[in-house]
Amino acid sequence: MYIGKKLAATTALLGAVATAGVLTATPASAAITDMGIHLSTGHNVGLYNDYKKINNADKATPNDLIYSTNPNLTDGIETDCWSDRGASLNNMDPYWYHTKTEYYNHLVGTSPVHIYAWTYAPYVDGEAGIRAGLQKCNY
């Protein structure tokens, strides 16, 4: 009998906390937490373990993401945030996407790859995802 009352009280408390969390977790200017982005700049894009070390020895995957004029063959990413603390390439902004899924559409028959890595935003989409409201990583 005691276990049943304790379970009911815990369930009620969790329900109240969840309801309060829903009411407070939706500000009017909430940032987007995940975004799918197709490459759109004409660059091939490497996936790096560290956004401050841009060299082939630090690549997270052996394959670069490829831009193609054929939209069915253009690769893409799913990202959950962006950072401005990485290295700059070619005098462009130091914006990087924290990438959690890579779509290699140019490699026919390849499934999405789920590796956390960093992609250089100016090469992915000219930073459109950042301007579209994707959340900042704060790291």
Side-chain angles (χ1 to χ4, degrees):
M1 184 64 125
Y2 175 73
I3 292 174
K5 287 182 181 178
K6 188 173 182 180
L7 179 61
T10 302
T11 302
L13 177 62
L14 289 175
V17 169
T19 301
V22 168
L23 295 176
T24 61
T26 56
S29 62
I32 299 167
T33 56
D34 281 1
M35 179 181 286
I37 304 172
H38 273 92
L39 271 61
S40 62
T41 65
H43 289 275
N44 294 341
V45 179
L47 292 119
Y48 297 91
N49 293 310
D50 184 343
Y51 54 34
K52 293 184 180 184
K53 257 195 267 181
I54 317 316
N55 61 50
N56 286 336
D58 190 52
K59 281 192 168 182
T61 63
N63 296 316
D64 282 352
L65 296 163
I66 304 295
Y67 170 80
S68 172
T69 55
N70 178 344
N72 295 325
L73 298 179
T74 294
D75 295 341
I77 62 172
E78 183 177 348
T79 181
D80 56 1
C81 61
W82 63 273
S83 178
D84 59 1
R85 298 181 185 176
S88 294
L89 297 175
N90 297 322
N91 295 319
M92 291 189 259
D93 290 330
Y95 296 143
W96 288 79
Y97 289 125
H98 186 245
T99 304
K100 60 185 199 173
T101 305
E102 301 81 39
Y103 299 93
Y104 293 97
N105 297 325
H106 79 279
L107 299 174
V108 178
T110 302
S111 298
V113 177
H114 303 285
I115 295 176
Y116 286 100
W118 292 95
T119 51
Y120 191 52
Y123 284 9
V124 171
D125 65 350
E127 303 168 13
I130 293 166
R131 293 188 302 274
L134 183 65
Q135 71 181 353
K136 189 172 181 183
C137 296
N138 292 322
Y139 54 87

